[in-house]
Amino acid sequence: MRPIQLPEPPSPTARRGTAEIFESGVHTFVRRAVVIGNGFPSSENQSIGLLRALGLSDKYHLYRVTRPKEGINEWLRWLPVSFHKRIYFIVRMIHSYSQLVLKSQERKLKPLPSGNGVSAGLLDVLEADVKQIANLARETYEKEGPLLVVACGRDTISAASSIKRLASENVFVVQIQHPRLHLNRFDMVIAPKHDYYPLTPEGQKQVPRFLRSWITPRDPPDSHVVLTTGALHQIDFTSIRNAAATWHDEFAHVPRPLLVVNIGGPSSNCRYGVDLAKQLASSLLSVLVSCGSVRISFSERTPQKFCNIIVKELGNNPKVYIWDGQGPNLHMGHLAWGDAFVVTADSVSMISEACSTGKPVYVVGAERCRWKFTEFHQSLREMGVVRPLTGSEDISESWSYPPLNDTADAAKRVHEALAARGWKLKI
């Protein structure tokens, strides 16, 4: 029988890392992660972006907390997700019973809206199984090490905090976006600074007194709360460089400077309509003379009337290309090859991604925003990161700023918090 060969013990003068067998134990290495998502790409993108910055983007499993959709469910979205599902289940049972009483079984009910490939009822919706994830973390801890759990969005709060409660010694739980109260339920909370806007005197004036206990964060941030300027995402130097190579054939011969226009859609805190579409079209027509080319993209939230005005005013201009949403998504190519960006004020995510490039970013419609969105836009302007689009800009005259680096900064704080607990990432 051949003798077992153990690795050589580390030399005191060795420069390279120590073999794991001589470390404090394999269970001190974080080498796997779980993402608790809510089905919204903008939220899940933040969690995956953090894992990418941590080097774990290919070592995670995605679970989702999903809600029933459509019909009465649109009126129940303000409820906690578990309560929402119970009410919907009761409504569905009552409706089914009434159909039986009326002897109208021949009129079959329409199938319930689907979520993640399954029916969205209470019993068969695809859920993040809290107990299963907690048991996995506990049972595999000695062999696989701690489990990093990253969640984002209001609907994921209960699941993430429950995993922390059931397996506190075996997990490190990060909640992205402010959970409003009981922040000690998580190992780390990552929230934009404007989430604390309700604590400011200006914010207090805008919050009705009877809503303050629900809307306003109860306490100022402490040491385990990481404040960012914008949203987390997956855009960094490496992804931009890779996208530049991937989209070379598409963009290398596009006349410069290339102005990229990303249009979102109105929200409760950024209300606008066709009037903003007309304003944007007029401004773009004014700056066209200084552009080599313009590329415009709409989002799924963009109203059709808004799209129609932009297409009518700019669609026939030879300098302008309007992406119709068909074929491969051009977003990464635009970020890599664009020389300047115009973004509607409603999307913190789109603005944050554009501002991570260090290239000129013009925002349209910020004056139509309110509440904490006002704080977000004001902070970017004060930092010199964005400017309003007026129509008098010379796009060929570039300007720069230190790129927003929120995701990398947040990842650094996760590293530090893990180290304080005696854990470290194993990339």
mmCIF file of all heavy atoms in Angstrom, residues 339-372:
data_model
loop_
_atom_site.group_PDB
_atom_site.id
_atom_site.type_symbol
_atom_site.label_atom_id
_atom_site.label_comp_id
_atom_site.label_asym_id
_atom_site.label_seq_id
_atom_site.Cartn_x
_atom_site.Cartn_y
_atom_site.Cartn_z
ATOM 1 N N ASP A 339 -20.123 56.680 -25.915
ATOM 2 C CA ASP A 339 -19.265 57.782 -25.468
ATOM 3 C C ASP A 339 -19.964 58.668 -24.448
ATOM 4 O O ASP A 339 -19.309 59.369 -23.670
ATOM 5 C CB ASP A 339 -18.847 58.630 -26.680
ATOM 6 C CG ASP A 339 -17.997 57.842 -27.652
ATOM 7 O OD1 ASP A 339 -16.903 57.400 -27.247
ATOM 8 O OD2 ASP A 339 -18.428 57.647 -28.802
ATOM 9 N N ALA A 340 -21.292 58.659 -24.445
ATOM 10 C CA ALA A 340 -22.087 59.423 -23.486
ATOM 11 C C ALA A 340 -23.456 58.765 -23.400
ATOM 12 O O ALA A 340 -23.872 58.029 -24.303
ATOM 13 C CB ALA A 340 -22.205 60.888 -23.907
ATOM 14 N N PHE A 341 -24.149 59.035 -22.296
ATOM 15 C CA PHE A 341 -25.433 58.378 -22.046
ATOM 16 C C PHE A 341 -26.498 59.400 -21.656
ATOM 17 O O PHE A 341 -26.219 60.375 -20.957
ATOM 18 C CB PHE A 341 -25.305 57.338 -20.924
ATOM 19 C CG PHE A 341 -24.278 56.279 -21.202
ATOM 20 C CD1 PHE A 341 -22.967 56.443 -20.787
ATOM 21 C CD2 PHE A 341 -24.620 55.129 -21.896
ATOM 22 C CE1 PHE A 341 -22.010 55.471 -21.049
ATOM 23 C CE2 PHE A 341 -23.674 54.157 -22.165
ATOM 24 C CZ PHE A 341 -22.363 54.325 -21.739
ATOM 25 N N VAL A 342 -27.714 59.140 -22.109
ATOM 26 C CA VAL A 342 -28.899 59.852 -21.634
ATOM 27 C C VAL A 342 -29.813 58.805 -21.018
ATOM 28 O O VAL A 342 -30.112 57.783 -21.649
ATOM 29 C CB VAL A 342 -29.627 60.583 -22.785
ATOM 30 C CG1 VAL A 342 -30.970 61.142 -22.286
ATOM 31 C CG2 VAL A 342 -28.763 61.699 -23.342
ATOM 32 N N VAL A 343 -30.252 59.033 -19.778
ATOM 33 C CA VAL A 343 -31.071 58.059 -19.055
ATOM 34 C C VAL A 343 -32.255 58.788 -18.427
ATOM 35 O O VAL A 343 -32.095 59.870 -17.866
ATOM 36 C CB VAL A 343 -30.264 57.335 -17.954
ATOM 37 C CG1 VAL A 343 -31.082 56.187 -17.367
ATOM 38 C CG2 VAL A 343 -28.939 56.806 -18.497
ATOM 39 N N THR A 344 -33.434 58.194 -18.508
ATOM 40 C CA THR A 344 -34.584 58.780 -17.823
ATOM 41 C C THR A 344 -34.433 58.599 -16.319
ATOM 42 O O THR A 344 -33.852 57.625 -15.850
ATOM 43 C CB THR A 344 -35.897 58.140 -18.296
ATOM 44 O OG1 THR A 344 -35.815 56.713 -18.182
ATOM 45 C CG2 THR A 344 -36.193 58.520 -19.732
ATOM 46 N N ALA A 345 -34.994 59.545 -15.575
ATOM 47 C CA ALA A 345 -34.704 59.659 -14.138
ATOM 48 C C ALA A 345 -35.342 58.573 -13.296
ATOM 49 O O ALA A 345 -34.998 58.426 -12.116
ATOM 50 C CB ALA A 345 -35.175 61.025 -13.635
ATOM 51 N N ASP A 346 -36.257 57.792 -13.851
ATOM 52 C CA ASP A 346 -37.023 56.844 -13.045
ATOM 53 C C ASP A 346 -36.218 55.644 -12.579
ATOM 54 O O ASP A 346 -36.546 55.018 -11.575
ATOM 55 C CB ASP A 346 -38.226 56.350 -13.843
ATOM 56 C CG ASP A 346 -37.794 55.756 -15.182
ATOM 57 O OD1 ASP A 346 -37.631 56.547 -16.137
ATOM 58 O OD2 ASP A 346 -37.586 54.543 -15.287
ATOM 59 N N SER A 347 -35.156 55.279 -13.293
ATOM 60 C CA SER A 347 -34.447 54.024 -13.012
ATOM 61 C C SER A 347 -33.119 54.259 -12.299
ATOM 62 O O SER A 347 -32.139 54.696 -12.902
ATOM 63 C CB SER A 347 -34.201 53.247 -14.313
ATOM 64 O OG SER A 347 -33.468 52.068 -14.048
ATOM 65 N N VAL A 348 -33.082 53.946 -11.010
ATOM 66 C CA VAL A 348 -31.834 54.039 -10.247
ATOM 67 C C VAL A 348 -30.821 53.044 -10.801
ATOM 68 O O VAL A 348 -29.625 53.334 -10.885
ATOM 69 C CB VAL A 348 -32.100 53.775 -8.751
ATOM 70 C CG1 VAL A 348 -30.788 53.712 -7.966
ATOM 71 C CG2 VAL A 348 -33.004 54.855 -8.170
ATOM 72 N N SER A 349 -31.287 51.873 -11.217
ATOM 73 C CA SER A 349 -30.376 50.835 -11.719
ATOM 74 C C SER A 349 -29.694 51.253 -13.011
ATOM 75 O O SER A 349 -28.470 51.139 -13.149
ATOM 76 C CB SER A 349 -31.142 49.518 -11.932
ATOM 77 O OG SER A 349 -31.617 49.002 -10.716
ATOM 78 N N MET A 350 -30.464 51.743 -13.989
ATOM 79 C CA MET A 350 -29.876 52.145 -15.269
ATOM 80 C C MET A 350 -28.904 53.307 -15.089
ATOM 81 O O MET A 350 -27.844 53.342 -15.725
ATOM 82 C CB MET A 350 -30.965 52.512 -16.272
ATOM 83 C CG MET A 350 -31.759 51.343 -16.802
ATOM 84 S SD MET A 350 -32.707 51.722 -18.321
ATOM 85 C CE MET A 350 -33.712 53.096 -17.792
ATOM 86 N N ILE A 351 -29.261 54.245 -14.218
ATOM 87 C CA ILE A 351 -28.374 55.380 -13.974
ATOM 88 C C ILE A 351 -27.099 54.907 -13.279
ATOM 89 O O ILE A 351 -25.993 55.338 -13.634
ATOM 90 C CB ILE A 351 -29.099 56.448 -13.128
ATOM 91 C CG1 ILE A 351 -30.239 57.065 -13.936
ATOM 92 C CG2 ILE A 351 -28.127 57.536 -12.682
ATOM 93 C CD1 ILE A 351 -31.126 57.992 -13.132
ATOM 94 N N SER A 352 -27.227 54.012 -12.318
ATOM 95 C CA SER A 352 -26.054 53.504 -11.598
ATOM 96 C C SER A 352 -25.101 52.776 -12.525
ATOM 97 O O SER A 352 -23.878 52.936 -12.440
ATOM 98 C CB SER A 352 -26.501 52.572 -10.467
ATOM 99 O OG SER A 352 -27.315 53.251 -9.535
ATOM 100 N N GLU A 353 -25.648 51.982 -13.435
ATOM 101 C CA GLU A 353 -24.799 51.265 -14.390
ATOM 102 C C GLU A 353 -24.066 52.242 -15.297
ATOM 103 O O GLU A 353 -22.853 52.090 -15.534
ATOM 104 C CB GLU A 353 -25.647 50.293 -15.214
ATOM 105 C CG GLU A 353 -26.143 49.096 -14.439
ATOM 106 C CD GLU A 353 -26.952 48.146 -15.290
ATOM 107 O OE1 GLU A 353 -27.378 48.540 -16.407
ATOM 108 O OE2 GLU A 353 -27.174 46.999 -14.854
ATOM 109 N N ALA A 354 -24.775 53.226 -15.816
ATOM 110 C CA ALA A 354 -24.131 54.195 -16.706
ATOM 111 C C ALA A 354 -23.048 54.965 -15.971
ATOM 112 O O ALA A 354 -21.971 55.237 -16.525
ATOM 113 C CB ALA A 354 -25.177 55.153 -17.281
ATOM 114 N N CYS A 355 -23.297 55.316 -14.717
ATOM 115 C CA CYS A 355 -22.323 56.095 -13.941
ATOM 116 C C CYS A 355 -21.115 55.268 -13.517
ATOM 117 O O CYS A 355 -20.110 55.829 -13.078
ATOM 118 C CB CYS A 355 -22.995 56.686 -12.704
ATOM 119 S SG CYS A 355 -24.228 57.957 -13.058
ATOM 120 N N SER A 356 -21.183 53.960 -13.646
ATOM 121 C CA SER A 356 -20.024 53.122 -13.327
ATOM 122 C C SER A 356 -19.001 53.111 -14.453
ATOM 123 O O SER A 356 -17.893 52.592 -14.289
ATOM 124 C CB SER A 356 -20.475 51.688 -13.026
ATOM 125 O OG SER A 356 -20.923 51.040 -14.207
ATOM 126 N N THR A 357 -19.338 53.684 -15.620
ATOM 127 C CA THR A 357 -18.410 53.712 -16.751
ATOM 128 C C THR A 357 -17.451 54.898 -16.681
ATOM 129 O O THR A 357 -16.424 54.894 -17.359
ATOM 130 C CB THR A 357 -19.183 53.807 -18.082
ATOM 131 O OG1 THR A 357 -19.877 55.065 -18.146
ATOM 132 C CG2 THR A 357 -20.202 52.672 -18.203
ATOM 133 N N GLY A 358 -17.789 55.941 -15.904
ATOM 134 C CA GLY A 358 -16.963 57.147 -15.850
ATOM 135 C C GLY A 358 -17.163 58.070 -17.033
ATOM 136 O O GLY A 358 -16.477 59.087 -17.150
ATOM 137 N N LYS A 359 -18.123 57.749 -17.904
ATOM 138 C CA LYS A 359 -18.399 58.573 -19.084
ATOM 139 C C LYS A 359 -19.537 59.547 -18.775
ATOM 140 O O LYS A 359 -20.284 59.355 -17.823
ATOM 141 C CB LYS A 359 -18.775 57.668 -20.262
ATOM 142 C CG LYS A 359 -17.702 56.634 -20.620
ATOM 143 C CD LYS A 359 -18.227 55.654 -21.663
ATOM 144 C CE LYS A 359 -17.238 54.543 -21.940
ATOM 145 N NZ LYS A 359 -17.768 53.548 -22.920
ATOM 146 N N PRO A 360 -19.695 60.597 -19.594
ATOM 147 C CA PRO A 360 -20.756 61.566 -19.343
ATOM 148 C C PRO A 360 -22.145 60.924 -19.298
ATOM 149 O O PRO A 360 -22.492 60.107 -20.164
ATOM 150 C CB PRO A 360 -20.643 62.521 -20.531
ATOM 151 C CG PRO A 360 -19.206 62.425 -20.950
ATOM 152 C CD PRO A 360 -18.822 60.990 -20.722
ATOM 153 N N VAL A 361 -22.909 61.279 -18.277
ATOM 154 C CA VAL A 361 -24.272 60.772 -18.117
ATOM 155 C C VAL A 361 -25.211 61.966 -17.953
ATOM 156 O O VAL A 361 -25.031 62.789 -17.045
ATOM 157 C CB VAL A 361 -24.394 59.836 -16.900
ATOM 158 C CG1 VAL A 361 -25.849 59.384 -16.734
ATOM 159 C CG2 VAL A 361 -23.474 58.628 -17.040
ATOM 160 N N TYR A 362 -26.185 62.061 -18.832
ATOM 161 C CA TYR A 362 -27.196 63.111 -18.758
ATOM 162 C C TYR A 362 -28.527 62.482 -18.342
ATOM 163 O O TYR A 362 -28.920 61.440 -18.882
ATOM 164 C CB TYR A 362 -27.350 63.805 -20.112
ATOM 165 C CG TYR A 362 -26.083 64.458 -20.619
ATOM 166 C CD1 TYR A 362 -25.226 63.779 -21.494
ATOM 167 C CD2 TYR A 362 -25.731 65.740 -20.211
ATOM 168 C CE1 TYR A 362 -24.058 64.372 -21.964
ATOM 169 C CE2 TYR A 362 -24.569 66.342 -20.672
ATOM 170 C CZ TYR A 362 -23.731 65.653 -21.543
ATOM 171 O OH TYR A 362 -22.564 66.244 -21.987
ATOM 172 N N VAL A 363 -29.193 63.109 -17.394
ATOM 173 C CA VAL A 363 -30.465 62.595 -16.884
ATOM 174 C C VAL A 363 -31.596 63.505 -17.336
ATOM 175 O O VAL A 363 -31.480 64.732 -17.276
ATOM 176 C CB VAL A 363 -30.437 62.502 -15.344
ATOM 177 C CG1 VAL A 363 -31.807 62.094 -14.807
ATOM 178 C CG2 VAL A 363 -29.377 61.502 -14.896
ATOM 179 N N VAL A 364 -32.675 62.899 -17.784
ATOM 180 C CA VAL A 364 -33.841 63.666 -18.221
ATOM 181 C C VAL A 364 -35.029 63.300 -17.333
ATOM 182 O O VAL A 364 -35.282 62.130 -17.049
ATOM 183 C CB VAL A 364 -34.162 63.385 -19.712
ATOM 184 C CG1 VAL A 364 -34.464 61.916 -19.954
ATOM 185 C CG2 VAL A 364 -35.324 64.240 -20.184
ATOM 186 N N GLY A 365 -35.733 64.325 -16.856
ATOM 187 C CA GLY A 365 -36.935 64.110 -16.064
ATOM 188 C C GLY A 365 -36.736 64.110 -14.567
ATOM 189 O O GLY A 365 -37.679 63.812 -13.824
ATOM 190 N N ALA A 366 -35.535 64.450 -14.076
ATOM 191 C CA ALA A 366 -35.296 64.417 -12.630
ATOM 192 C C ALA A 366 -36.196 65.398 -11.883
ATOM 193 O O ALA A 366 -36.566 65.154 -10.733
ATOM 194 C CB ALA A 366 -33.831 64.718 -12.333
ATOM 195 N N GLU A 367 -36.542 66.492 -12.529
ATOM 196 C CA GLU A 367 -37.395 67.493 -11.879
ATOM 197 C C GLU A 367 -38.809 66.976 -11.655
ATOM 198 O O GLU A 367 -39.595 67.574 -10.898
ATOM 199 C CB GLU A 367 -37.443 68.775 -12.716
ATOM 200 C CG GLU A 367 -38.173 68.675 -14.030
ATOM 201 C CD GLU A 367 -37.376 67.984 -15.143
ATOM 202 O OE1 GLU A 367 -36.196 67.637 -14.895
ATOM 203 O OE2 GLU A 367 -37.929 67.807 -16.245
ATOM 204 N N ARG A 368 -39.161 65.864 -12.285
ATOM 205 C CA ARG A 368 -40.492 65.288 -12.118
ATOM 206 C C ARG A 368 -40.526 64.215 -11.039
ATOM 207 O O ARG A 368 -41.578 63.611 -10.795
ATOM 208 C CB ARG A 368 -40.972 64.703 -13.451
ATOM 209 C CG ARG A 368 -41.060 65.756 -14.553
ATOM 210 C CD ARG A 368 -41.125 65.102 -15.924
ATOM 211 N NE ARG A 368 -40.932 66.110 -16.959
ATOM 212 C CZ ARG A 368 -41.926 66.608 -17.695
ATOM 213 N NH1 ARG A 368 -43.163 66.207 -17.488
ATOM 214 N NH2 ARG A 368 -41.677 67.520 -18.618
ATOM 215 N N CYS A 369 -39.386 63.957 -10.423
ATOM 216 C CA CYS A 369 -39.321 62.958 -9.361
ATOM 217 C C CYS A 369 -39.563 63.607 -8.007
ATOM 218 O O CYS A 369 -39.397 64.814 -7.829
ATOM 219 C CB CYS A 369 -37.953 62.266 -9.364
ATOM 220 S SG CYS A 369 -37.619 61.302 -10.862
ATOM 221 N N ARG A 370 -39.928 62.803 -7.032
ATOM 222 C CA ARG A 370 -40.163 63.294 -5.686
ATOM 223 C C ARG A 370 -39.656 62.276 -4.681
ATOM 224 O O ARG A 370 -39.112 61.249 -5.036
ATOM 225 C CB ARG A 370 -41.661 63.547 -5.477
ATOM 226 C CG ARG A 370 -42.530 62.300 -5.586
ATOM 227 C CD ARG A 370 -43.997 62.628 -5.502
ATOM 228 N NE ARG A 370 -44.828 61.420 -5.530
ATOM 229 C CZ ARG A 370 -45.258 60.784 -4.448
ATOM 230 N NH1 ARG A 370 -44.931 61.238 -3.249
ATOM 231 N NH2 ARG A 370 -46.004 59.703 -4.545
ATOM 232 N N TRP A 371 -39.844 62.627 -3.429
ATOM 233 C CA TRP A 371 -39.497 61.722 -2.335
ATOM 234 C C TRP A 371 -38.006 61.394 -2.389
ATOM 235 O O TRP A 371 -37.194 62.249 -2.691
ATOM 236 C CB TRP A 371 -40.397 60.480 -2.432
ATOM 237 C CG TRP A 371 -40.316 59.499 -1.302
ATOM 238 C CD1 TRP A 371 -40.226 58.147 -1.390
ATOM 239 C CD2 TRP A 371 -40.332 59.769 0.105
ATOM 240 N NE1 TRP A 371 -40.184 57.569 -0.155
ATOM 241 C CE2 TRP A 371 -40.243 58.550 0.785
ATOM 242 C CE3 TRP A 371 -40.394 60.953 0.853
ATOM 243 C CZ2 TRP A 371 -40.220 58.449 2.163
ATOM 244 C CZ3 TRP A 371 -40.366 60.857 2.233
ATOM 245 C CH2 TRP A 371 -40.284 59.612 2.873
ATOM 246 N N LYS A 372 -37.611 60.180 -2.078
ATOM 247 C CA LYS A 372 -36.182 59.875 -1.979
ATOM 248 C C LYS A 372 -35.476 59.897 -3.333
ATOM 249 O O LYS A 372 -34.247 60.003 -3.387
ATOM 250 C CB LYS A 372 -35.975 58.518 -1.307
ATOM 251 C CG LYS A 372 -36.562 57.331 -2.047
ATOM 252 C CD LYS A 372 -36.353 56.057 -1.244
ATOM 253 C CE LYS A 372 -36.867 54.834 -1.999
ATOM 254 N NZ LYS A 372 -36.657 53.596 -1.214
#
